[in-house]
Amino acid sequence: VCELREWRPVTRRKCTDAPWLLLFFLFWAGLMFIAGYAVMAGAAERLVLGYDSFGNICGRKNIPVKGAPLSGQDMTNKKYVFFLNSCSLEMQSLKISAVSLCVSSCPQEQLNSLEDLQSFARNNGSCLCVYNLNVSSYTLNPKAAELCPALPVPPSKSFPLFNRCVPQNPECYSKYASVLISMVNEMDVFHRILSGILAGRDTVIGLGFLALAFSFILVLAFRFIRTLLVHTLIALVVFGLLFVSGVLWWLYYDYKNDPSTELETEKENVKFLLGYAVFSTIVTVVLLSLILVLRKRLQFTVQLFRIVGKIIGRIPFLLFQPLWTFLILNVFWVFWVAVLLSLGTAGTAQTTSGGQVEYRALSGISYMAWYHFVGLIWTSEFILACQQMTIAGAVVTCYFNRNKNSPPPHPVLSSVSVLVCYHLGTAVKGSFLITILRIPRLVLLYLYNILKQKESACAKCLFKCCFCWFWCQESCLRYFNQHAYTTTAINGTNFYTSAKDVVFILAKNSDKLASISCFGDFILFLGKVFVVCFTVFGGLMAFNYHRELQAWVVPLLLAGFFAYLMSHSFLSVFEVTADAMFVCFAVDMETNDGSAEKPYFVDQELLTFVSQSNKLTEGQKHRSMRAFQDNEDGTELQPMV
């Protein structure tokens, strides 16, 4: 039997789950080692800017490479990669074997002789021969035929993604494209994803600010909630779900019937679009069904948000808490992406015959990438857990205050100080448990991609069931984590003790609070869906105009993930405030009886709201039971014929 402890905000606290905080510090020491290693060994600019055969990155200043006399040049004004033999390229070990140079512009017209090359260099300032050959020596040096491009040089244009000069001659273009397609198709998925992120980085950043704007608008709407706003939100969510699903199916049909789809990245776009369309359709059907079923509780939802808004009105700085969380998350995500890009291009420069430079990948990079990815999940969840504990601590401080008209001074700052001084270990442990449940899902996804060629219906069904099971486990754990953080804010106990206590107190009051809390969380979830839907729609429109060699499905998925985290970060103010308020209410009802010796802390408005909601729920149950009994008594069983 669980012994009921004294539920009150304690004044004397001690550090909780300190070993977990030490473990988190050690984990971050590993992340910093990987970051330092990636910065020293990697060069993300090589991936997006391109580089020549002598170790120079186009479009920037370079440092010399030992044994390569033509390295270390200033290529600030030379932004394009030009191949000396663009009409007969060959690929060896995922690299194009032809000599490449950094040039300031691609030749727009065909050049038929060395005199044409010399004239082009003098008129445009773009030298198409090897760097150590002077422009004036193009027609005099006997080795000019080896150091200059094969004649005739076809007209070419700069390619937007990899900054390559692509020949426009039909025959040369066909050979060039076939080699480039083979190279991209055989690239490691990890590098393809990096290329997609780099290519769509501006769009992803823009979509992030769009999600920020939508989230902030919803926060203000929920703060001053009215019935009309709830109806408007539901209408926008329904419109967004139907519209995004329709656009996804239309894009899938358009891509599938496009005869120019040759690259593996484009084929992956088609597959992912189909997955997005199916998933979006399923989510649309489920949410529309839930909206139809729960429409009668709309008025109670408005009243609930009015009460939550009243609490936030007493602690106005709670509305600014998501801004700090958003800034911290953005700083961490920028750091994480920068390290990932550097890690993906980590390699050692080795000179070959003729003074050329090759970059060879370092061993162990894939293991570092997985460690780095775990760091993304764990740290993001830790930051969100700290926000939840901060909000819960402020709500607890104000709830257990006798004078409601005079709240405690600086409850948010007080909650932050208590968190930093005593309960960071509890936030680490809760976020680690979420991470542990996510890792098997990632492993299953990796195995599913490996085994999907087998076309086994049984294996596919098994994988999908496992995905669903882990997702349900994660959702339940996230729900109990939030309540455990509130209990830690009340009692100052560690994560395990807080989780045990809150399960006990919620089980005794589940009939009073479950339906109220669930429907409020559902409306907030609709708000998150609204943000994600319109952010993804903006991404679809933006990425649809950049189809060439882009795995844009990955940046779009990343933008959707960031949009959900942003909306969750902002709307969790209301979610955590409501859940913390109900936990405090359950504790208040359990430990007090309303007498002069043990008066309630709850204000009259919240008590009236809970009572009315319970009467509505009991009335619905009574009507359902009476209808069942009437049907049971009045229906005559007929014999089977």
Side-chain angles (χ1 to χ4, degrees), residues 203-459:
T203 306
V204 171
I205 293 173
L207 292 175
F209 282 104
L210 180 64
L212 172 64
F214 281 136
S215 300
F216 193 71
I217 290 171
L218 276 182
V219 166
L220 294 179
F222 279 121
R223 170 64 180 89
F224 305 101
I225 196 80
R226 294 294 183 270
T227 306
L228 180 60
L229 286 177
V230 175
H231 284 292
T232 304
L233 173 63
I234 292 176
L236 287 174
V237 169
V238 171
F239 171 76
L241 287 170
L242 294 175
F243 193 70
V244 169
S245 298
V247 169
L248 284 169
W249 281 111
W250 172 72
L251 286 176
Y252 168 71
Y253 178 80
D254 185 41
Y255 271 76
K256 186 179 180 181
N257 293 279
D258 189 352
S260 63
T261 302
E262 296 183 59
L263 293 178
E264 188 66 27
T265 52
E266 293 179 333
K267 294 178 181 177
E268 286 180 357
N269 287 345
V270 176
K271 294 178 183 177
F272 276 105
L273 275 174
L274 177 60
Y276 283 169
V278 172
F279 177 76
S280 177
T281 304
I282 294 174
V283 170
T284 300
V285 172
V286 172
L287 288 182
L288 290 180
S289 302
L290 288 175
I291 290 172
L292 184 64
V293 171
L294 300 175
R295 67 188 186 281
K296 293 183 178 180
R297 282 189 168 267
L298 193 60
Q299 186 58 39
F300 278 93
T301 305
V302 175
Q303 190 175 352
L304 170 63
F305 282 111
R306 188 178 295 118
I307 295 173
V308 173
K310 184 178 178 181
I311 295 177
I312 293 177
R314 296 170 184 164
I315 321 171
F317 282 103
L318 279 184
L319 289 176
F320 296 95
Q321 175 62 30
L323 290 176
W324 296 109
T325 305
F326 171 75
L327 291 176
I328 295 172
L329 280 174
N330 268 320
V331 170
F332 170 66
W333 289 338
V334 169
F335 163 77
W336 185 86
V337 171
V339 173
L340 180 67
L341 296 178
S342 299
L343 198 62
T345 55
T348 56
Q350 298 184 352
T351 56
T352 62
S353 59
Q356 297 184 18
V357 176
E358 288 185 356
Y359 292 95
R360 297 186 179 178
L362 301 173
S363 59
I365 292 297
S366 59
Y367 299 104
M368 291 185 181
W370 276 105
Y371 187 95
H372 192 57
F373 193 74
V374 172
L376 170 68
I377 300 174
W378 193 2
T379 306
S380 298
E381 292 294 338
F382 169 72
I383 294 171
L384 293 175
C386 288
Q387 174 184 291
Q388 291 174 355
M389 289 199 72
T390 299
I391 297 172
V395 173
V396 166
T397 302
C398 288
Y399 185 95
F400 291 103
N401 176 46
R402 292 294 181 189
N403 189 357
K404 302 299 182 183
N405 296 322
S406 178
H410 312 298
V412 175
L413 291 178
S414 175
S415 180
V416 170
S417 64
V418 169
L419 168 65
V420 173
C421 294
Y422 300 106
H423 302 314
L424 282 178
T426 300
V428 168
K429 187 174 182 179
S431 58
F432 177 78
L433 294 177
I434 297 291
T435 306
I436 285 296
L437 283 180
R438 283 197 173 184
I439 290 176
R441 289 171 60 192
L442 296 174
V443 173
L444 286 173
L445 180 62
Y446 177 72
L447 293 176
Y448 179 78
N449 288 329
I450 293 177
L451 301 176
K452 66 181 180 181
Q453 308 294 339
K454 304 296 182 180
E455 297 295 337
S456 172
C458 182

Side-chain angles (χ1 to χ4, degrees), residues 562-617:
F562 287 162
Y564 179 79
L565 282 183
M566 289 178 196
S567 60
H568 176 75
S569 177
F570 276 81
L571 296 181
S572 63
V573 172
F574 295 90
E575 185 177 356
V576 177
T577 300
D579 290 341
M581 178 183 68
F582 287 134
V583 171
C584 293
F585 177 81
V587 172
D588 195 10
M589 295 297 104
E590 184 68 28
T591 56
N592 299 306
D593 54 12
S595 62
E597 293 78 14
K598 290 185 176 183
Y600 291 132
F601 284 90
V602 65
D603 59 9
Q604 189 60 39
E605 185 178 5
L606 176 59
L607 186 61
T608 303
F609 167 73
V610 174
S611 301
Q612 290 177 350
S613 179
N614 289 333
K615 288 179 181 178
L616 175 64
T617 304

Side-chain angles (χ1 to χ4, degrees), residues 25-265:
F25 284 149
L26 293 176
F27 180 84
W28 255 89
L31 281 181
M32 296 308 297
F33 170 79
I34 290 176
Y37 180 82
V39 171
M40 295 298 295
E45 292 173 316
R46 284 205 317 265
L47 193 64
V48 66
L49 298 179
Y51 58 98
D52 64 14
S53 298
F54 307 100
N56 298 298
I57 299 175
C58 302
R60 54 156 284 185
K61 293 182 179 180
N62 296 274
I63 58 175
V65 177
K66 186 178 180 181
L70 296 180
S71 63
Q73 300 194 36
D74 185 359
M75 299 294 180
T76 305
N77 297 321
K78 299 179 178 180
K79 301 180 179 180
Y80 306 104
V81 179
F82 175 79
F83 294 98
L84 295 189
N85 198 1
S86 58
C87 288
S88 56
L89 298 179
E90 293 182 359
M91 189 181 67
Q92 297 177 356
S93 302
L94 296 180
K95 293 182 177 66
I96 297 176
S97 58
V99 176
S100 59
L101 304 173
C102 293
V103 298
S104 57
S105 63
C106 303
Q108 301 292 323
E109 298 178 356
Q110 181 168 301
L111 306 177
N112 298 307
S113 63
L114 293 175
E115 288 78 6
D116 290 343
L117 289 174
Q118 190 177 56
S119 177
F120 177 78
R122 287 173 176 171
N123 294 333
N124 298 279
S126 183
C127 302
L128 303 183
C129 297
V130 177
Y131 308 129
N132 57 0
L133 182 62
N134 192 279
V135 175
S136 59
S137 303
Y138 279 13
T139 58
L140 303 176
N141 195 313
K143 294 185 177 181
E146 300 176 6
L147 301 177
C148 292
L151 298 173
V153 179
S156 58
K157 292 183 179 180
S158 60
F159 198 68
L161 177 57
F162 294 122
N163 295 329
R164 266 65 169 176
C165 291
V166 180
Q168 299 302 298
N169 181 292
E171 183 180 355
C172 292
Y173 178 80
S174 176
K175 295 179 180 178
Y176 185 96
S178 64
V179 172
L180 199 59
I181 287 171
S182 300
M183 183 184 72
V184 174
N185 286 348
E186 294 184 21
M187 282 173 62
D188 184 77
V189 175
F190 176 58
H191 289 85
R192 265 193 244 159
I193 292 174
L194 291 180
S195 299
I197 292 175
L198 281 170
R201 63 189 184 280
D202 295 334
T203 306
V204 171
I205 293 173
L207 292 175
F209 282 104
L210 180 64
L212 172 64
F214 281 136
S215 300
F216 193 71
I217 290 171
L218 276 182
V219 166
L220 294 179
F222 279 121
R223 170 64 180 89
F224 305 101
I225 196 80
R226 294 294 183 270
T227 306
L228 180 60
L229 286 177
V230 175
H231 284 292
T232 304
L233 173 63
I234 292 176
L236 287 174
V237 169
V238 171
F239 171 76
L241 287 170
L242 294 175
F243 193 70
V244 169
S245 298
V247 169
L248 284 169
W249 281 111
W250 172 72
L251 286 176
Y252 168 71
Y253 178 80
D254 185 41
Y255 271 76
K256 186 179 180 181
N257 293 279
D258 189 352
S260 63
T261 302
E262 296 183 59
L263 293 178
E264 188 66 27
T265 52

Side-chain angles (χ1 to χ4, degrees), residues 517-539:
S517 178
C518 289
F519 193 68
D521 292 344
F522 176 69
I523 293 296
L524 290 173
F525 178 72
L526 288 182
K528 299 172 188 177
V529 171
F530 164 79
V531 174
V532 173
C533 276
F534 283 91
T535 302
V536 169
F537 171 70

